[in-house]
Amino acid sequence: MSETTGRPRTSAESSAATGAPRRVQRIVALSAGLSSPSSTRMLVDQLAAAARAAIDQNPGVHAEVTVYELRDYGRDITDMMLSRFPSERLSELIEAVRAADAVIAVTPIFNTGPSGLFKSFIDVVPLDVWPGKPVLLGATAGSARHSLALEYAIRPMFVYLKAALVPTAVVAASADFGAPDADGADEMPLSVRARRAAEELAVLGCGERRIGRYVEQPAESDGPVDEYPDAAAEGAPAEDAADAATGGPVGLDAEFSDFVPMDSLLHRG
């Protein structure tokens, strides 16, 4: 005879009792901290735990979180930026991000922006990985005064990538981790902010109505371009080819049709 208590069952216990399989919600957590251990990794772990708890409250869903330290991929990221060929281990990380149902991305704030390691990784990930993917943003800084850096330097980057951003972003100052001589922490405790962001992530990332199914994929023209296309090779008129070679009016609005590049002016007698 089994014992019963007055405590309500969790979704995990209910699924186990009925024998219903639970769908796995895969979350990739990216830590761009440069030291080990780091406050960035501490925030990642806290957000990951909060996300796991929030998602597991959904009936029939179980969260699996995998944390990646980007500092372990620093050389691979640099090599890909220079050669455009990812290493095997970097390819595996990119594919893990692609296959994830949601991403937690946390970076330290340096000079009012993300760390170079964080930005470099985002630069090497293909554009088609991000559209519609739920992303929870986090950042660490020495002071809560740097909180707005996440909103004007990091969030716009993911908006451009068409990610489904969690409304609440979590910034943790040194005081949030108990540093004795740091500036004051946010008035709302870090655990409360982490829980609120995790609940929002659970809403975006779970279920068949996941937002990513309805987001348009980016066009190839949205990607980075290193050089002007060879207009002559595309069969463009001779004058267009010459303009393309000198940075002339090709592609400019009509009102700028008489524009002459500075290098052309300098070569004129």
Side-chain angles (χ1 to χ4, degrees), residues 174-188:
S174 299
D176 288 309
F177 298 110
D181 298 324
D183 292 337
D186 192 289
E187 293 182 0
M188 183 179 293

Side-chain angles (χ1 to χ4, degrees), residues 36-53:
S36 181
S38 68
S39 59
T40 301
R41 177 58 188 267
M42 293 170 62
L43 179 57
V44 166
D45 290 341
Q46 187 160 350
L47 292 175
R52 187 185 295 109

Side-chain angles (χ1 to χ4, degrees), residues 124-163:
V124 301
V125 176
L127 289 174
D128 63 354
V129 168
W130 297 109
K133 190 177 296 294
V135 176
L136 192 166
L137 293 177
T140 55
S143 167
R145 293 194 300 270
H146 296 289
S147 298
L148 285 179
L150 190 148
E151 297 300 330
Y152 67 71
I154 301 173
R155 185 181 292 273
M157 179 168 58
F158 285 89
V159 170
Y160 168 77
L161 295 171
K162 301 181 176 68

